[in-house]
């Protein structure tokens, strides 16, 4: 009888190599660019946190279920095969009130999503371990009164900071060589200093709705060479002075809706081309040609809906130009309720 034992052992070897934990199990497949050295900690060591590999084959940590600051710190004292993470998530946690300076051990993160919770204080150095890796920080919808803004200049890769809906009082000193998007809306900041953005040269988008701004210092936004969008809605602005927002070729939107604005200087938005100005729900009674003509001539869009416009001769320049009329929000009405687009031009022949 022919001996087929060689075939049996050959098949066994092939199956062993293909199966994890086999005779010659490998963590590198022919499609891999290199060895995978990321591995989550043992689940029981980090409970109630949960570690998982995401679709980019990097690690995420979810600690939404921690019951105290001490428990969170204990998790990050466990044995970690790798301390390099993509995202830390803590969502809807009502027990964690302080993110302590040593809470995250030696772990590093690219993103922080600590949201919809009861967090009140982020201590100095609590995030500093990720100064070389952090790209996005999201801490919105908490109760934060103190945040380590003084550490931001160490974060050389940080692109966005989102602290909306907290209790931050007083506009922070911001120093960041890389920050592009800033969300501070719905905090009792109380004002916007003229030097607010002197040390954030890469800012693209600034969101400061409902923060208690009653006036703008001319030139506050100057020097932001890439500025795209500015949100200043739901504040207490009454007048927009010259250089309220210094624009760039990239500036697309300025939102000052839901303020108390009754007057706008002709040079309030120097440099704005093809941009949109949302000035709806304010106290404007007129749309002077000297203020708004350049915006519409330069391909811009104006939304003055919800203002008590008197619709006297001051709007005739818009009604006589079909292009201009098309570039004003179609739902804009006069104080008497008539829409601008429905007004009879014949009634303005005397203007």
């Amino acid at each position: 009888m022919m001996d087929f034992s060689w075939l049996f052992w050959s098949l066994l070897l092939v199956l062993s190599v293909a199966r994890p934990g086999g005779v010659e199990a490998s963590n590198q497949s022919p499609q891999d660019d290199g060895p995978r050295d990321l591995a989550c900690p043992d689940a029981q060591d980090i409970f109630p946190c949960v570690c998982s590999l995401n679709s980019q084959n990097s690690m995420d940590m979810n600690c939404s279920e921690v019951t105290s600051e001490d428990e969170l710190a204990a998790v990050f004292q466990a044995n970690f095969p790798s301390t390099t993470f993509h995202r830390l998530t803590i969502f809807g946690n009502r027990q964690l009130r302080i993110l302590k300076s040593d809470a995250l051990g030696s772990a590093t993160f690219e993103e922080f999503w600590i949201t919809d919770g009861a967090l009140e204080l982020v201590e100095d150095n609590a995030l500093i371990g990720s100064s070389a890796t952090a790209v996005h920080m999201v801490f919105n919808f908490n109760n934060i009164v103190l945040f380590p803004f003084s550490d931001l200049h160490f974060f050389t890769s940080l692109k966005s900071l989102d602290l909306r809906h907290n209790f931050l009082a007083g506009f922070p000193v911001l120093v960041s060589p890389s920050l592009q998007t800033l969300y501070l809306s719905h905090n009792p900041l109380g004002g916007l200093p003229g030097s607010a953005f002197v040390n954030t040269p890469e800012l693209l988008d600034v969101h400061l709705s409902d923060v208690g701004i009653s006036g703008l210092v001319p030139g506050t936004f100057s020097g932001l060479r890439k500025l795209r969008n500015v949100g200043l809605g739901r504040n207490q602005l009454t007048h927009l002075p010259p250089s309220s927002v210094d624009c760039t070729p990239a500036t697309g939107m300025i939102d000052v809706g839901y303020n108390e604005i009754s007057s706008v200087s002709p040079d309030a938005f120097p440099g704005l081309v093809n941009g949109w100005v949302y000035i709806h729900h304010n106290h404007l009674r007129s749309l002077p040609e000297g203020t708004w003509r350049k915006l519409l001539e330069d391909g811009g869009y104006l939304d003055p809906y919800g203002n008590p416009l008197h619709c006297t001769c001051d709007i005739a320049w818009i009604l006589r130009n079909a292009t201009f009329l098309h570039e004003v929000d179609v739902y804009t009405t006069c104080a008497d309720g008539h829409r601008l687009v429905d007004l009879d031009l014949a009634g303005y022949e005397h203007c």
Side-chain angles (χ1 to χ4, degrees), residues 98-335:
I98 302 174
L99 188 62
K100 295 185 176 181
S101 59
D102 58 352
L104 303 179
S106 59
T108 65
F109 298 91
E110 296 173 35
E111 298 183 3
F112 292 93
W113 290 73
I114 304 179
T115 67
D116 297 83
L119 191 65
E120 299 173 1
L121 169 63
V122 181
E123 289 187 348
D124 290 346
N125 297 318
L127 310 172
I128 203 70
S130 299
S131 60
T133 59
V135 178
H136 303 292
M137 292 185 183
V138 184
F139 288 82
N140 57 34
F141 292 91
N142 285 289
N143 299 324
I144 297 173
V145 295
L146 290 174
F147 187 85
F149 291 104
S150 60
D151 290 344
L152 288 185
H153 70 283
F154 294 114
F155 289 77
T156 54
S157 298
L158 186 65
K159 300 300 182 186
S160 65
L161 176 63
D162 185 350
L163 283 157
R164 289 171 295 169
H165 291 275
N166 280 286
F167 293 93
L168 297 166
F171 198 89
V173 176
L174 297 173
V175 180
S176 172
S178 60
L179 188 65
Q180 296 180 348
T181 304
L182 175 66
Y183 295 93
L184 288 176
S185 298
H186 306 286
N187 280 279
L189 301 180
L192 179 63
S195 59
F197 308 117
V198 168
N199 294 306
T200 53
E202 296 299 307
L203 271 180
L204 305 176
D205 304 310
V206 181
H207 300 273
L208 295 171
S209 298
D210 189 22
V211 297
I213 300 173
S214 59
L216 294 175
V217 178
T220 297
F221 293 88
S222 66
L224 301 180
R225 300 171 290 104
K226 304 175 184 178
L227 187 66
R228 293 187 310 198
N229 301 303
V230 177
L232 295 167
R234 297 187 182 277
N235 283 291
Q236 289 85 52
L237 295 170
T238 59
H239 171 68
L240 297 181
S243 291
S244 289
V245 178
D246 291 279
C247 302
T248 74
T251 305
M253 185 274 290
I254 298 169
D255 180 9
V256 288
Y258 290 102
N259 276 276
E260 301 166 15
I261 299 169
S262 59
S263 60
V264 180
S265 295
D267 230 2
F269 314 114
L272 184 61
V273 177
N274 295 317
W276 292 34
V277 175
Y278 292 91
I279 197 166
H280 54 86
H281 295 95
N282 275 280
H283 297 170
L284 297 178
R285 296 187 177 187
S286 64
L287 297 174
E289 184 175 6
T291 298
W292 299 111
R293 184 182 184 93
K294 181 169 176 52
L295 171 70
L296 302 184
E297 281 183 336
D298 290 342
Y301 178 86
L302 177 65
D303 179 7
Y305 173 78
N307 281 274
L309 300 174
H310 285 184
C311 294
T312 53
C313 284
D314 66 283
I315 65 164
W317 68 278
I318 297 176
L319 302 181
R320 291 171 178 155
N321 187 311
T323 300
F324 290 171
L325 189 58
H326 180 71
E327 292 168 343
V328 175
D329 182 77
V330 68
Y331 296 106
T332 300
T333 61
C334 305

